[in-house]
Amino acid sequence: MDNEHKRCDAAVSSGSLPAGVLPGRQPVCVYVSAGRGDERLREAGYLEHEPYQGIVLTPAGEREALLSIRRHRLAERFLVDVMGFGWHEVHSAADALGAAASDRLVQRMEEMAGFPRRCPHGEPIPDASGRMPRLRDRPLNSVEPGETYVLSRVNTHDAGKLEYLGTLGLKPGVRFALVARAPFSGPLQLEVDGAAVVIGHELAGALRVCRQDEFELV
């Protein structure tokens, strides 16, 4: 992997893309912060400037961003499923491992982890061509009580929250019933594997849920 690919990988996975970067032709999530790396990334063909819009990812940049996301999420699965780390422990380690991994190592991690479609937190893993699977889910604090849902993904990297959710049995793929939702942003009552669980409205907003038939990625 050449130096510019390493810089683009590091930029996407560690959150150091330059200020003003906007998503391009695909809904690729990138993190931004101030810096001078935009000149190097433009020279490598990953960024371009569009009048009145700022800096956008080129098709090559979008593909590199998606492959960087793939490396990171496969590294997380490898660390959890093969190495035995907790799902709350792996985000930073996966940043380093994914950025340094060769294509062959990424392929081997994917094989050893059983060809996963999602990371431990439920986020979809782009395929080797850079295609991102589509998701159909919504925040738990926005759905109606009295129904059974599947936890699709968890939108937080906060280790404390992830560890707490794990103790409640709330991990991606788990089925549960939403028993009640208090008004005025009050707590939600769930039934998880026969046990009553109560979580706050804010934390519930980080949990994305779907129906059973919507959980499979397309």
Side-chain angles (χ1 to χ4, degrees):
M1 183 183 298
D2 61 39
N3 288 337
E4 291 305 330
H5 278 75
K6 290 179 181 177
R7 290 191 187 103
C8 189
D9 289 349
V12 176
S13 63
S14 68
S16 58
L17 275 173
V21 173
L22 302 174
R25 299 163 183 80
Q26 296 185 55
V28 179
C29 179
V30 295
Y31 302 93
V32 300
S33 64
R36 294 176 58 86
D38 55 334
E39 292 183 11
R40 293 190 297 270
L41 294 173
R42 275 202 298 266
E43 291 171 0
Y46 296 142
L47 301 178
E48 63 186 7
H49 181 269
E50 292 190 2
Y52 310 109
Q53 293 191 44
I55 299 170
V56 299
L57 289 169
T58 65
E62 289 175 355
R63 183 175 185 276
E64 188 57 38
L66 285 162
L67 292 178
S68 181
I69 291 169
R70 169 179 166 80
R71 285 189 290 269
H72 175 85
R73 292 178 181 171
L74 282 174
E76 287 185 319
R77 285 245 62 127
F78 176 79
L79 290 169
V80 171
D81 297 346
V82 180
M83 300 297 292
F85 285 86
W87 73 325
H88 60 289
E89 301 177 297
V90 297
H91 182 68
S92 296
D95 272 345
L97 178 57
S102 66
D103 290 343
R104 177 55 184 150
L105 179 55
V106 172
Q107 181 182 358
R108 185 62 176 148
M109 288 193 297
E110 182 180 33
E111 293 170 357
M112 295 182 70
F115 298 96
R117 299 292 308 282
R118 294 173 181 255
C119 80
H121 314 104
E123 297 291 350
I125 298 174
D127 64 21
S129 67
R131 177 185 173 275
M132 177 71 84
R134 290 178 296 169
L135 291 176
R136 294 173 292 173
D137 56 24
R138 55 210 67 89
L140 174 57
N141 60 11
S142 72
V143 299
E144 293 300 316
E147 300 288 341
T148 297
Y149 298 97
V150 176
L151 181 53
S152 173
R153 54 184 167 143
V154 179
N155 288 157
T156 181
H157 296 304
D158 184 287
K161 290 180 180 179
L162 290 171
E163 190 170 16
Y164 174 66
L165 289 169
T167 67
L168 300 178
L170 289 171
K171 288 190 175 183
V174 167
R175 297 184 68 210
F176 65 91
L178 175 56
V179 178
R181 187 179 70 199
F184 309 113
S185 301
L188 288 75
Q189 181 181 344
L190 319 177
E191 183 178 317
V192 184
D193 196 23
V197 171
V198 177
I199 63 172
H201 184 271
E202 181 180 355
L203 183 57
L207 307 183
R208 306 281 301 192
V209 301
C210 62
R211 299 190 308 268
Q212 181 67 55
D213 64 307
E214 295 174 322
F215 185 70
E216 293 302 317
L217 300 180
V218 295

